[in-house]
């Protein structure tokens, strides 16, 4: 129906134009030459700006040129050929210049209209809210996303001050900001995203992210606000915060439980181990009882070691473990550790190697933790190596000292390497030979506490190499 109506309108428009052209020709023929020849056609070509056909100015100019020539030829006035050609040429030039100008202006206007339509379509379909206000705070544009956010239709907001969408104190701050900006030109929120609150039509408020930009619409200064509802994000952040607080509370409760448990177990266990040692030193103790006593002592020692590991891990997780730096001789520390593991390797039939290449032996650091890290790593190396060798290497480069513990044991698979530094995690060999799975977790965190990084290189059947590097300052007494 609409297409039929448009078609009828076009037919009527063409008929009207044809009638005007015939009327102008008849008028032209009845006027003296040179009076208004071509002028009515210029008016008609100018009016073609509003016609729906793109080529209308050129078509009308061509028809008008023909009619001007006909008007001169069939006019009763006698004009010599030179004057006739000059008149026709001048009027034709006027007609075509007019047509050209109308077409250029029309193309420019249509281009501007297209850009404006695309811009409006972009604003209308934007997911985020878009509000445009003038320098007085009056809303000039308000897209559908804003209608959904605030509950106001555009007809209720356009023409009103934007502060109707703001709860206190933002409402008062907005007027003060505009006044301050108009008088000083200082920008406080333009070009900067910030979190504020918006006010819906029903009076409820919601958190939103607001970004404000400045632009010139002709000679008028406007401000463009981009609004995003962050209610869901804030709810997610709140949930994460609550979950974090609950996890921290549970971790503190766990640490407190472990501390109390260790105290309750350690007190009677110390008594058991003390009496065991007394009995072992009794020369009158019958031989059949000595072996069970040694088993009790070993099991008690293992339990005490497990308690110490759990407490160390809890202290690290709680952030309660601190460094205690002091001056010490790194060469003596390495030599002392070497003596311990040289004997352990001999007892197991392994070759022990210690390679120390350091120039500055007197350093400052936490020697207790360095010793504990080396003992843990070397203890694992001896434990999981059945034949071959265990090697400790210490080298120096400037103030950095690199420690490497290498063995020829069964090696560690890629899957096990991914989790081996986590608490209570062990490789296949570790599960077979026993252990708590806490040693490497504690070792890794102690190295990190000393600003180092524990690294592992290993493959099944090729042994393992643990390495870390520490920056140790020179001893203060040197």
């Amino acid at each position: 129906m609409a297409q039929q109506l448009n078609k009828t309108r076009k037919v009527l428009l063409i008929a009207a134009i044809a009638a005007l052209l015939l009327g102008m020709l008849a008028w032209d023929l009845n006027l003296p030459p040179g009076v208004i020849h071509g002028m009515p056609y210029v008016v008609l070509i100018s009016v073609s700006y509003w016609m729906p056909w793109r080529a209308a100015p050129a078509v009308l100019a061509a028809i008008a040129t023909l009619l001007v020539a006909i008007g001169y030829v069939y006019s009763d006035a006698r004009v010599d050929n030179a004057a006739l050609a000059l008149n026709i040429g001048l009027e034709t030039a006027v007609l075509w210049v007019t047509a050209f100008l109308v077409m250029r202006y029309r193309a420019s206007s249509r281009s501007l209209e297209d850009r404006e339509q695309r811009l409006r379509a972009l604003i209308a379909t934007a997911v985020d809210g878009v509000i445009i206000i003038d320098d007085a705070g009056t809303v000039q544009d308000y897209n559908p996303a804003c209608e959904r956010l605030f509950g106001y239709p555009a007809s209720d907001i356009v023409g009103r001050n934007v502060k109707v969408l703001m709860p206190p104190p933002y409402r008062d701050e907005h007027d003060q900001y505009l006044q301050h900006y108009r008088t000083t030109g200082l920008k406080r929120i333009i070009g900067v995203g910030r979190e504020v609150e918006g006010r819906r039509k029903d009076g409820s408020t919601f958190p939103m992210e607001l970004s404000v930009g400045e632009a010139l619409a002709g000679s008028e200064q406007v401000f463009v606000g981009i609004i995003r509802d962050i209610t869901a994000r804030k709810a997610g952040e709140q949930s994460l915060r609550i979950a974090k607080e609950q996890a921290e509370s549970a971790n503190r409760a766990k640490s407190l439980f472990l501390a109390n448990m260790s105290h309750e177990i350690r007190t009677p266990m110390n008594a058991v181990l003390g009496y065991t040692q007394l009995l072992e030193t009794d020369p009158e103790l019958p031989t059949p009882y000595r072996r069970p006593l040694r088993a009790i002592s070993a099991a008690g020692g293992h339990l005490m070691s497990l308690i110490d590991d759990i407490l160390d891990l809890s202290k690290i997780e709680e952030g309660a473990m601190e460094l205690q730096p002091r001056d010490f001789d790194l060469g003596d520390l390495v030599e002392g550790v070497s003596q311990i593991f040289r004997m352990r390797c001999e007892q197991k039939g392994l070759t022990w190697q210690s390679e120390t290449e350091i120039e500055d032996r007197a350093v400052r650091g936490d020697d207790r933790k360095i010793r504990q890290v080396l003992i843990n790593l070397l203890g694992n190396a001896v434990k999981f190596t059945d034949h071959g060798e265990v090697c400790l290497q210490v080298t120096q480069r400037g103030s950095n000292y690199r420690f490497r513990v290498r063995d020829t044991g069964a090696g560690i698979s890629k899957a096990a390497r991914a989790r081996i530094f986590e608490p209570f995690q062990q490789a296949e060999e570790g599960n077979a030979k026993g252990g708590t799975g806490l040693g490497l977790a504690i070792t890794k965190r102690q190295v990190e506490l000393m600003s180092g990084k524990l690294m592992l290189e290993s493959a099944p059947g090729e042994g393992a190499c643990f390495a870390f590097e520490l920056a140790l300052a020179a001893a203060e007494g040197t």
Side-chain angles (χ1 to χ4, degrees):
M1 184 67 181
Q3 292 180 351
Q4 184 66 29
L5 184 60
N6 289 334
K7 187 175 182 182
T8 302
R9 287 177 178 173
K10 289 182 180 180
V11 170
L12 292 175
L13 181 59
I14 293 173
I17 294 171
L20 284 172
L21 288 171
L22 291 174
M24 289 178 183
L25 177 61
W27 189 24
D28 200 8
L29 291 174
N30 289 288
L31 290 174
V35 178
I36 58 169
H37 273 295
M39 293 305 297
Y41 304 121
V42 171
V43 174
L44 184 60
I45 293 172
S46 300
V47 174
S48 67
Y49 172 81
W50 290 277
M51 293 181 184
W53 303 287
R54 181 180 298 178
V59 172
L60 290 177
I63 295 174
T65 300
L66 178 62
L67 294 180
V68 166
I70 292 174
Y72 272 108
V73 171
Y74 290 97
S75 175
D76 293 336
R78 295 184 178 182
V79 182
D80 62 78
N81 292 336
L84 177 64
L86 179 60
N87 287 340
I88 293 176
L90 290 174
E91 293 181 11
T92 300
V94 171
L95 294 173
W96 282 99
V97 168
T98 303
F100 174 76
L101 293 176
V102 170
M103 292 177 69
R104 287 292 302 271
Y105 183 68
R106 181 175 177 172
S108 177
S109 298
R110 293 289 169 85
S111 177
L112 288 174
E113 289 175 3
D114 290 344
R115 284 201 292 270
E116 184 178 356
Q117 289 176 358
R118 285 196 294 270
L119 180 59
R120 288 194 172 278
L122 179 64
I123 293 175
T125 57
V127 177
D128 294 333
V130 180
I131 297 180
I132 300 176
I133 64 172
D134 61 17
D135 59 356
T138 304
V139 177
Q140 296 185 340
D141 208 341
Y142 178 89
N143 74 339
C146 284
E147 294 181 343
R148 294 189 294 271
L149 285 174
F150 294 98
Y152 287 99
S155 58
D156 288 354
I157 294 298
V158 174
R160 299 176 64 182
N161 194 290
V162 71
K163 67 183 182 181
V164 71
L165 305 175
M166 304 176 186
Y170 303 104
R171 179 180 302 180
D172 299 331
E173 290 175 355
H174 181 263
D175 287 343
Q176 293 173 5
Y177 171 76
L178 284 178
Q179 180 64 29
H180 182 267
Y181 180 69
R182 282 195 297 265
T183 55
T184 66
L186 296 177
K187 301 176 181 179
R188 286 186 295 178
I189 64 171
I190 294 177
V192 178
R194 61 174 188 155
E195 294 182 3
V196 295
E197 286 190 351
R199 180 181 179 274
R200 298 188 181 95
K201 186 177 182 180
D202 60 7
S204 62
T205 61
F206 65 97
M208 66 183 195
E209 192 173 71
L210 173 65
S211 302
V212 180
E214 184 182 12
L216 286 176
S219 59
E220 183 182 7
Q221 185 183 38
V222 297
F223 301 95
V224 181
I226 309 297
I227 298 169
R228 175 171 297 174
D229 187 350
I230 56 174
T231 302
R233 191 178 81 189
K234 285 293 184 182
E237 290 175 356
Q238 179 67 11
S239 298
L240 287 175
R241 186 161 47 251
I242 292 174
K244 180 175 179 291
E245 291 173 355
Q246 291 175 343
E248 290 175 348
S249 177
N251 194 50
R252 287 192 295 270
K254 178 201 71 175
S255 298
L256 181 61
F257 167 76
L258 290 175
N260 292 333
M261 179 201 70
S262 65
H263 176 73
E264 296 299 327
I265 296 177
R266 187 188 294 271
T267 301
M269 185 55 61
N270 282 330
V272 171
L273 292 176
Y275 281 114
T276 302
Q277 293 171 359
L278 288 175
L279 289 173
E280 285 180 329
T281 58
D282 185 358
E284 297 181 0
L285 182 70
T287 302
Y289 296 125
R290 292 188 178 277
R291 186 170 182 179
L293 280 175
R294 284 195 297 270
I296 293 173
S297 180
H302 177 72
L303 182 58
M304 294 292 285
S305 176
L306 176 59
I307 292 172
D308 290 338
D309 285 347
I310 293 175
L311 283 176
D312 285 343
L313 184 63
S314 298
K315 286 180 181 179
I316 294 172
E317 289 179 344
E318 191 67 22
M321 181 170 284
E322 298 178 352
L323 294 177
Q324 297 178 350
R326 62 179 182 177
D327 294 346
F328 69 97
D329 189 312
L330 181 60
D332 290 345
L333 186 150
V334 174
E335 181 60 28
V337 172
S338 297
Q339 290 293 340
I340 295 172
F341 286 95
R342 180 179 292 108
M343 289 186 293
R344 291 192 185 180
C345 287
E346 289 175 356
Q347 292 171 356
K348 199 172 180 181
L350 302 175
T351 300
W352 168 257
Q353 287 191 8
S354 177
E355 303 172 5
T356 305
E357 298 178 6
I358 57 176
E359 296 179 0
D360 303 318
R361 298 167 58 99
V363 295
R364 185 172 183 80
D366 194 328
D367 59 317
R368 298 178 183 86
K369 287 185 176 54
I370 296 175
R371 181 182 290 104
Q372 186 177 355
V373 167
L374 291 177
I375 288 174
N376 283 342
L377 294 177
L378 289 168
N380 282 344
V382 174
K383 179 178 180 180
F384 298 114
T385 302
D386 293 327
H387 57 271
E389 66 177 19
V390 174
C391 178
L392 170 62
Q393 295 177 321
V394 183
T395 57
Q396 179 184 359
R397 186 178 59 184
S399 62
N400 292 331
Y401 293 81
R402 183 174 179 83
F403 301 82
R404 298 177 76 244
V405 174
R406 179 173 50 82
D407 64 61
T408 58
I412 305 170
S413 66
K414 183 177 181 180
R417 291 199 303 271
R419 65 178 191 276
I420 199 168
F421 292 116
E422 297 299 321
F424 305 106
Q425 297 293 326
Q426 290 182 301
E428 297 83 356
E429 190 74 10
N431 292 326
K433 296 203 173 187
T436 62
L438 290 174
L440 286 178
I442 294 172
T443 299
K444 177 177 180 292
R445 300 189 188 189
Q446 285 180 329
V447 170
E448 291 172 349
L449 187 64
M450 293 184 286
S451 301
K453 182 179 179 181
L454 183 59
M455 295 170 288
L456 167 62
E457 296 178 3
S458 182
E462 298 181 7
C465 178
F466 290 86
F468 62 96
E469 191 170 297
L470 300 177
L472 299 176
E476 295 182 354
T478 59

